[in-house]
Amino acid sequence: MASRKNTSSSTDKRILISEGKKPATECCSIVPTQGPSQTQYSEGSHQTGSRNSLMDPTIRRSLLQIRQANEPGKYTVLATVNEILEDNNWCYNACSKCSKQIRHIIQNGIEVHYCPKCLESPNLIVPRYKVQIGVMDSTGTACFVLFDKEAFRKFNKTALEMREQLLQVAGDEFGYPEDLYQILNKQFVFLVEVSQRFNIELNRDNYGILFMSDLDEHLEDFRKFVMENQALLQLSSPLHDGENKEIMAVASDNVRIN
């Protein structure tokens, strides 16, 4: 399956098929002809709170612990992006009013776009990010999902701008933008959410990214915590001062995407 990663071995992945998802050739094919291209996200209390959460030692976990979590909540983890999952569309067509993914329904014998939240055909449809990435630490692997607000903050471009750039540079609006790969093989402190319904009840290992940082202060603080709490984090092998602090020990290469 198509992906770009930092290892040469192939994997057998189960692909998440979202409700109402269209084939890749239809992803982001609708361009708004009026109004703003997409909401511009500004720094606010939410991002400040998320940034502060990265320094909270009480919610720090390993990937293994996040995947084994039996209580919903927000947790932080130090992990490396080892794969961009190209088999999954990197964006989706959304209702500009509520950001819900639009569906295609038959109305009076004609296929029309429909927003299941607004219960109507949207006046404006915009592409929004939904980038699925494989991450790893010394305890295993998981799939994280980078949604619109955090993706915009990371890439400094809206999904619409990214798609238009892809069309201009590659002549193909349905490929994968090169800008997405700037996070590949890099380590971040992630703030992710474990959902009661999606992750615990349905036992799915896809976790939405609420915030991510590669600032030295966040990385070094978490690395220090890892070195001092290896048993607490259930690390698969002991780490020692002077060793590679990127915490990239070889682990299972199977990223489950249910």
mmCIF file of all heavy atoms in Angstrom, residues 136-171:
data_model
loop_
_atom_site.group_PDB
_atom_site.id
_atom_site.type_symbol
_atom_site.label_atom_id
_atom_site.label_comp_id
_atom_site.label_asym_id
_atom_site.label_seq_id
_atom_site.Cartn_x
_atom_site.Cartn_y
_atom_site.Cartn_z
ATOM 1 N N MET A 136 5.677 6.137 16.146
ATOM 2 C CA MET A 136 6.276 5.038 16.897
ATOM 3 C C MET A 136 7.095 5.562 18.072
ATOM 4 O O MET A 136 7.635 6.669 18.038
ATOM 5 C CB MET A 136 7.164 4.188 15.983
ATOM 6 C CG MET A 136 8.392 4.909 15.452
ATOM 7 S SD MET A 136 9.391 3.894 14.333
ATOM 8 C CE MET A 136 9.918 2.593 15.449
ATOM 9 N N ASP A 137 7.152 4.745 19.132
ATOM 10 C CA ASP A 137 8.123 4.922 20.203
ATOM 11 C C ASP A 137 8.658 3.532 20.518
ATOM 12 O O ASP A 137 8.420 2.590 19.751
ATOM 13 C CB ASP A 137 7.523 5.646 21.417
ATOM 14 C CG ASP A 137 6.461 4.824 22.162
ATOM 15 O OD1 ASP A 137 6.215 3.651 21.766
ATOM 16 O OD2 ASP A 137 5.871 5.354 23.117
ATOM 17 N N SER A 138 9.372 3.370 21.605
ATOM 18 C CA SER A 138 9.985 2.070 21.869
ATOM 19 C C SER A 138 8.985 1.017 22.326
ATOM 20 O O SER A 138 9.333 -0.153 22.471
ATOM 21 C CB SER A 138 11.086 2.213 22.929
ATOM 22 O OG SER A 138 10.518 2.571 24.172
ATOM 23 N N THR A 139 7.721 1.410 22.549
ATOM 24 C CA THR A 139 6.724 0.444 22.997
ATOM 25 C C THR A 139 5.803 -0.028 21.875
ATOM 26 O O THR A 139 5.024 -0.958 22.078
ATOM 27 C CB THR A 139 5.849 1.030 24.123
ATOM 28 O OG1 THR A 139 5.024 2.074 23.594
ATOM 29 C CG2 THR A 139 6.702 1.580 25.254
ATOM 30 N N GLY A 140 5.861 0.601 20.723
ATOM 31 C CA GLY A 140 4.998 0.178 19.628
ATOM 32 C C GLY A 140 4.666 1.292 18.664
ATOM 33 O O GLY A 140 5.377 2.303 18.587
ATOM 34 N N THR A 141 3.579 1.107 17.941
ATOM 35 C CA THR A 141 3.171 2.049 16.906
ATOM 36 C C THR A 141 1.685 2.351 17.043
ATOM 37 O O THR A 141 0.953 1.649 17.726
ATOM 38 C CB THR A 141 3.422 1.474 15.495
ATOM 39 O OG1 THR A 141 2.660 0.262 15.356
ATOM 40 C CG2 THR A 141 4.887 1.190 15.257
ATOM 41 N N ALA A 142 1.255 3.398 16.373
ATOM 42 C CA ALA A 142 -0.160 3.770 16.369
ATOM 43 C C ALA A 142 -0.408 4.670 15.180
ATOM 44 O O ALA A 142 0.526 5.117 14.508
ATOM 45 C CB ALA A 142 -0.558 4.457 17.674
ATOM 46 N N CYS A 143 -1.667 4.939 14.926
ATOM 47 C CA CYS A 143 -2.054 5.884 13.883
ATOM 48 C C CYS A 143 -2.631 7.127 14.546
ATOM 49 O O CYS A 143 -3.575 7.036 15.334
ATOM 50 C CB CYS A 143 -3.091 5.265 12.946
ATOM 51 S SG CYS A 143 -3.739 6.432 11.725
ATOM 52 N N PHE A 144 -2.060 8.280 14.247
ATOM 53 C CA PHE A 144 -2.574 9.557 14.712
ATOM 54 C C PHE A 144 -3.183 10.287 13.528
ATOM 55 O O PHE A 144 -2.748 10.119 12.384
ATOM 56 C CB PHE A 144 -1.459 10.412 15.325
ATOM 57 C CG PHE A 144 -1.021 9.961 16.691
ATOM 58 C CD1 PHE A 144 0.020 10.624 17.347
ATOM 59 C CD2 PHE A 144 -1.620 8.893 17.343
ATOM 60 C CE1 PHE A 144 0.432 10.232 18.611
ATOM 61 C CE2 PHE A 144 -1.213 8.484 18.601
ATOM 62 C CZ PHE A 144 -0.178 9.160 19.240
ATOM 63 N N VAL A 145 -4.183 11.112 13.810
ATOM 64 C CA VAL A 145 -4.872 11.844 12.747
ATOM 65 C C VAL A 145 -4.731 13.342 12.989
ATOM 66 O O VAL A 145 -5.090 13.843 14.057
ATOM 67 C CB VAL A 145 -6.359 11.464 12.680
ATOM 68 C CG1 VAL A 145 -7.023 12.148 11.482
ATOM 69 C CG2 VAL A 145 -6.520 9.947 12.586
ATOM 70 N N LEU A 146 -4.206 14.023 11.984
ATOM 71 C CA LEU A 146 -3.978 15.463 12.045
ATOM 72 C C LEU A 146 -5.137 16.167 11.354
ATOM 73 O O LEU A 146 -5.291 16.091 10.141
ATOM 74 C CB LEU A 146 -2.651 15.794 11.358
ATOM 75 C CG LEU A 146 -2.089 17.202 11.478
ATOM 76 C CD1 LEU A 146 -1.896 17.587 12.941
ATOM 77 C CD2 LEU A 146 -0.754 17.283 10.731
ATOM 78 N N PHE A 147 -5.964 16.845 12.153
ATOM 79 C CA PHE A 147 -7.139 17.507 11.613
ATOM 80 C C PHE A 147 -6.854 18.966 11.274
ATOM 81 O O PHE A 147 -5.736 19.450 11.417
ATOM 82 C CB PHE A 147 -8.312 17.388 12.586
ATOM 83 C CG PHE A 147 -8.884 16.004 12.674
ATOM 84 C CD1 PHE A 147 -8.617 15.188 13.775
ATOM 85 C CD2 PHE A 147 -9.690 15.498 11.655
ATOM 86 C CE1 PHE A 147 -9.144 13.912 13.862
ATOM 87 C CE2 PHE A 147 -10.220 14.218 11.732
ATOM 88 C CZ PHE A 147 -9.948 13.430 12.836
ATOM 89 N N ASP A 148 -7.886 19.652 10.853
ATOM 90 C CA ASP A 148 -7.741 20.935 10.177
ATOM 91 C C ASP A 148 -7.020 22.004 10.995
ATOM 92 O O ASP A 148 -6.085 22.633 10.504
ATOM 93 C CB ASP A 148 -9.129 21.453 9.773
ATOM 94 C CG ASP A 148 -9.060 22.406 8.591
ATOM 95 O OD1 ASP A 148 -8.636 21.978 7.513
ATOM 96 O OD2 ASP A 148 -9.421 23.583 8.762
ATOM 97 N N LYS A 149 -7.448 22.246 12.226
ATOM 98 C CA LYS A 149 -6.892 23.350 13.001
ATOM 99 C C LYS A 149 -5.411 23.172 13.267
ATOM 100 O O LYS A 149 -4.603 24.086 13.059
ATOM 101 C CB LYS A 149 -7.643 23.498 14.315
ATOM 102 C CG LYS A 149 -7.172 24.666 15.171
ATOM 103 C CD LYS A 149 -7.979 24.791 16.458
ATOM 104 C CE LYS A 149 -9.404 25.190 16.163
ATOM 105 N NZ LYS A 149 -10.177 25.464 17.409
ATOM 106 N N GLU A 150 -5.021 21.972 13.700
ATOM 107 C CA GLU A 150 -3.621 21.736 14.015
ATOM 108 C C GLU A 150 -2.777 21.623 12.752
ATOM 109 O O GLU A 150 -1.615 22.035 12.732
ATOM 110 C CB GLU A 150 -3.482 20.466 14.862
ATOM 111 C CG GLU A 150 -2.101 20.237 15.435
ATOM 112 C CD GLU A 150 -1.620 21.359 16.341
ATOM 113 O OE1 GLU A 150 -2.437 22.197 16.766
ATOM 114 O OE2 GLU A 150 -0.411 21.388 16.635
ATOM 115 N N ALA A 151 -3.347 21.076 11.689
ATOM 116 C CA ALA A 151 -2.619 20.985 10.414
ATOM 117 C C ALA A 151 -2.340 22.375 9.865
ATOM 118 O O ALA A 151 -1.250 22.649 9.348
ATOM 119 C CB ALA A 151 -3.414 20.161 9.409
ATOM 120 N N PHE A 152 -3.323 23.265 9.958
ATOM 121 C CA PHE A 152 -3.116 24.635 9.493
ATOM 122 C C PHE A 152 -2.013 25.314 10.298
ATOM 123 O O PHE A 152 -1.159 26.017 9.746
ATOM 124 C CB PHE A 152 -4.410 25.439 9.591
ATOM 125 C CG PHE A 152 -4.236 26.892 9.249
ATOM 126 C CD1 PHE A 152 -4.159 27.308 7.930
ATOM 127 C CD2 PHE A 152 -4.132 27.850 10.253
ATOM 128 C CE1 PHE A 152 -3.982 28.644 7.611
ATOM 129 C CE2 PHE A 152 -3.947 29.189 9.939
ATOM 130 C CZ PHE A 152 -3.875 29.589 8.617
ATOM 131 N N ARG A 153 -2.019 25.095 11.608
ATOM 132 C CA ARG A 153 -0.982 25.688 12.445
ATOM 133 C C ARG A 153 0.394 25.136 12.095
ATOM 134 O O ARG A 153 1.394 25.868 12.101
ATOM 135 C CB ARG A 153 -1.289 25.403 13.925
ATOM 136 C CG ARG A 153 -0.420 26.185 14.908
ATOM 137 C CD ARG A 153 -0.698 25.758 16.335
ATOM 138 N NE ARG A 153 -0.217 24.413 16.598
ATOM 139 C CZ ARG A 153 1.045 24.129 16.933
ATOM 140 N NH1 ARG A 153 1.944 25.087 17.026
ATOM 141 N NH2 ARG A 153 1.406 22.894 17.162
ATOM 142 N N LYS A 154 0.449 23.847 11.738
ATOM 143 C CA LYS A 154 1.739 23.217 11.452
ATOM 144 C C LYS A 154 2.265 23.585 10.066
ATOM 145 O O LYS A 154 3.453 23.865 9.893
ATOM 146 C CB LYS A 154 1.603 21.694 11.562
ATOM 147 C CG LYS A 154 2.929 20.961 11.649
ATOM 148 C CD LYS A 154 3.653 21.356 12.914
ATOM 149 C CE LYS A 154 5.087 20.856 12.935
ATOM 150 N NZ LYS A 154 5.814 21.389 14.092
ATOM 151 N N PHE A 155 1.390 23.594 9.068
ATOM 152 C CA PHE A 155 1.837 23.819 7.689
ATOM 153 C C PHE A 155 1.639 25.262 7.223
ATOM 154 O O PHE A 155 2.121 25.633 6.148
ATOM 155 C CB PHE A 155 1.097 22.871 6.748
ATOM 156 C CG PHE A 155 1.266 21.422 7.102
ATOM 157 C CD1 PHE A 155 0.163 20.624 7.390
ATOM 158 C CD2 PHE A 155 2.520 20.846 7.168
ATOM 159 C CE1 PHE A 155 0.310 19.286 7.726
ATOM 160 C CE2 PHE A 155 2.687 19.506 7.503
ATOM 161 C CZ PHE A 155 1.573 18.731 7.779
ATOM 162 N N ASN A 156 0.897 26.044 8.013
ATOM 163 C CA ASN A 156 0.651 27.457 7.693
ATOM 164 C C ASN A 156 -0.029 27.638 6.340
ATOM 165 O O ASN A 156 0.193 28.622 5.642
ATOM 166 C CB ASN A 156 1.962 28.248 7.724
ATOM 167 C CG ASN A 156 1.725 29.750 7.860
ATOM 168 O OD1 ASN A 156 0.749 30.177 8.466
ATOM 169 N ND2 ASN A 156 2.592 30.543 7.274
ATOM 170 N N LYS A 157 -0.845 26.666 5.988
ATOM 171 C CA LYS A 157 -1.625 26.731 4.747
ATOM 172 C C LYS A 157 -2.961 26.047 4.990
ATOM 173 O O LYS A 157 -3.025 25.057 5.721
ATOM 174 C CB LYS A 157 -0.912 26.014 3.589
ATOM 175 C CG LYS A 157 0.384 26.641 3.135
ATOM 176 C CD LYS A 157 1.033 25.814 2.044
ATOM 177 C CE LYS A 157 2.389 26.402 1.655
ATOM 178 N NZ LYS A 157 3.065 25.536 0.640
ATOM 179 N N THR A 158 -4.009 26.554 4.378
ATOM 180 C CA THR A 158 -5.284 25.858 4.449
ATOM 181 C C THR A 158 -5.234 24.647 3.522
ATOM 182 O O THR A 158 -4.370 24.558 2.638
ATOM 183 C CB THR A 158 -6.433 26.776 4.027
ATOM 184 O OG1 THR A 158 -6.269 27.110 2.628
ATOM 185 C CG2 THR A 158 -6.461 28.052 4.848
ATOM 186 N N ALA A 159 -6.150 23.731 3.704
ATOM 187 C CA ALA A 159 -6.207 22.568 2.818
ATOM 188 C C ALA A 159 -6.492 23.003 1.388
ATOM 189 O O ALA A 159 -5.990 22.399 0.435
ATOM 190 C CB ALA A 159 -7.270 21.587 3.311
ATOM 191 N N LEU A 160 -7.286 24.051 1.220
ATOM 192 C CA LEU A 160 -7.575 24.559 -0.114
ATOM 193 C C LEU A 160 -6.311 25.115 -0.758
ATOM 194 O O LEU A 160 -6.020 24.830 -1.927
ATOM 195 C CB LEU A 160 -8.647 25.644 -0.057
ATOM 196 C CG LEU A 160 -8.978 26.319 -1.391
ATOM 197 C CD1 LEU A 160 -9.509 25.305 -2.394
ATOM 198 C CD2 LEU A 160 -9.986 27.449 -1.191
ATOM 199 N N GLU A 161 -5.538 25.883 -0.006
ATOM 200 C CA GLU A 161 -4.283 26.417 -0.535
ATOM 201 C C GLU A 161 -3.310 25.303 -0.867
ATOM 202 O O GLU A 161 -2.595 25.361 -1.877
ATOM 203 C CB GLU A 161 -3.664 27.381 0.480
ATOM 204 C CG GLU A 161 -4.455 28.658 0.667
ATOM 205 C CD GLU A 161 -4.005 29.472 1.854
ATOM 206 O OE1 GLU A 161 -3.407 28.894 2.795
ATOM 207 O OE2 GLU A 161 -4.258 30.697 1.869
ATOM 208 N N MET A 162 -3.286 24.272 -0.035
ATOM 209 C CA MET A 162 -2.412 23.126 -0.277
ATOM 210 C C MET A 162 -2.818 22.404 -1.563
ATOM 211 O O MET A 162 -1.971 22.009 -2.369
ATOM 212 C CB MET A 162 -2.475 22.165 0.906
ATOM 213 C CG MET A 162 -1.405 21.087 0.901
ATOM 214 S SD MET A 162 0.199 21.653 1.488
ATOM 215 C CE MET A 162 -0.039 21.604 3.259
ATOM 216 N N ARG A 163 -4.118 22.243 -1.748
ATOM 217 C CA ARG A 163 -4.602 21.561 -2.950
ATOM 218 C C ARG A 163 -4.317 22.377 -4.210
ATOM 219 O O ARG A 163 -3.900 21.837 -5.235
ATOM 220 C CB ARG A 163 -6.100 21.292 -2.829
ATOM 221 C CG ARG A 163 -6.657 20.404 -3.944
ATOM 222 C CD ARG A 163 -8.158 20.510 -4.017
ATOM 223 N NE ARG A 163 -8.568 21.861 -4.358
ATOM 224 C CZ ARG A 163 -8.568 22.322 -5.610
ATOM 225 N NH1 ARG A 163 -8.181 21.567 -6.604
ATOM 226 N NH2 ARG A 163 -8.953 23.560 -5.844
ATOM 227 N N GLU A 164 -4.518 23.667 -4.135
ATOM 228 C CA GLU A 164 -4.263 24.522 -5.292
ATOM 229 C C GLU A 164 -2.788 24.547 -5.640
ATOM 230 O O GLU A 164 -2.410 24.562 -6.816
ATOM 231 C CB GLU A 164 -4.777 25.931 -5.004
ATOM 232 C CG GLU A 164 -6.301 26.024 -4.960
ATOM 233 C CD GLU A 164 -6.790 27.410 -4.602
ATOM 234 O OE1 GLU A 164 -6.012 28.173 -3.986
ATOM 235 O OE2 GLU A 164 -7.952 27.730 -4.943
ATOM 236 N N GLN A 165 -1.926 24.538 -4.623
ATOM 237 C CA GLN A 165 -0.482 24.491 -4.862
ATOM 238 C C GLN A 165 -0.090 23.174 -5.510
ATOM 239 O O GLN A 165 0.760 23.138 -6.408
ATOM 240 C CB GLN A 165 0.267 24.661 -3.541
ATOM 241 C CG GLN A 165 1.782 24.587 -3.681
ATOM 242 C CD GLN A 165 2.477 24.778 -2.351
ATOM 243 O OE1 GLN A 165 2.305 25.777 -1.675
ATOM 244 N NE2 GLN A 165 3.261 23.785 -1.948
ATOM 245 N N LEU A 166 -0.705 22.101 -5.056
ATOM 246 C CA LEU A 166 -0.435 20.788 -5.633
ATOM 247 C C LEU A 166 -0.797 20.768 -7.108
ATOM 248 O O LEU A 166 -0.076 20.206 -7.936
ATOM 249 C CB LEU A 166 -1.228 19.724 -4.875
ATOM 250 C CG LEU A 166 -1.042 18.266 -5.299
ATOM 251 C CD1 LEU A 166 0.377 17.804 -5.024
ATOM 252 C CD2 LEU A 166 -2.026 17.368 -4.558
ATOM 253 N N LEU A 167 -1.906 21.394 -7.446
ATOM 254 C CA LEU A 167 -2.347 21.452 -8.834
ATOM 255 C C LEU A 167 -1.378 22.265 -9.688
ATOM 256 O O LEU A 167 -1.048 21.885 -10.813
ATOM 257 C CB LEU A 167 -3.748 22.063 -8.905
ATOM 258 C CG LEU A 167 -4.389 22.169 -10.292
ATOM 259 C CD1 LEU A 167 -4.554 20.783 -10.905
ATOM 260 C CD2 LEU A 167 -5.734 22.862 -10.204
ATOM 261 N N GLN A 168 -0.870 23.353 -9.144
ATOM 262 C CA GLN A 168 0.048 24.208 -9.879
ATOM 263 C C GLN A 168 1.412 23.562 -10.078
ATOM 264 O O GLN A 168 2.002 23.636 -11.147
ATOM 265 C CB GLN A 168 0.218 25.538 -9.150
ATOM 266 C CG GLN A 168 -1.038 26.401 -9.120
ATOM 267 C CD GLN A 168 -0.875 27.641 -8.267
ATOM 268 O OE1 GLN A 168 0.175 27.863 -7.656
ATOM 269 N NE2 GLN A 168 -1.914 28.455 -8.198
ATOM 270 N N VAL A 169 1.901 22.904 -9.033
ATOM 271 C CA VAL A 169 3.252 22.338 -9.074
ATOM 272 C C VAL A 169 3.288 20.988 -9.791
ATOM 273 O O VAL A 169 4.147 20.747 -10.648
ATOM 274 C CB VAL A 169 3.814 22.180 -7.648
ATOM 275 C CG1 VAL A 169 5.160 21.444 -7.680
ATOM 276 C CG2 VAL A 169 3.962 23.544 -6.991
ATOM 277 N N ALA A 170 2.357 20.112 -9.446
ATOM 278 C CA ALA A 170 2.379 18.747 -9.976
ATOM 279 C C ALA A 170 1.358 18.512 -11.076
ATOM 280 O O ALA A 170 1.394 17.479 -11.748
ATOM 281 C CB ALA A 170 2.169 17.746 -8.845
ATOM 282 N N GLY A 171 0.438 19.439 -11.239
ATOM 283 C CA GLY A 171 -0.602 19.247 -12.235
ATOM 284 C C GLY A 171 -1.583 18.168 -11.849
ATOM 285 O O GLY A 171 -2.327 17.656 -12.689
#
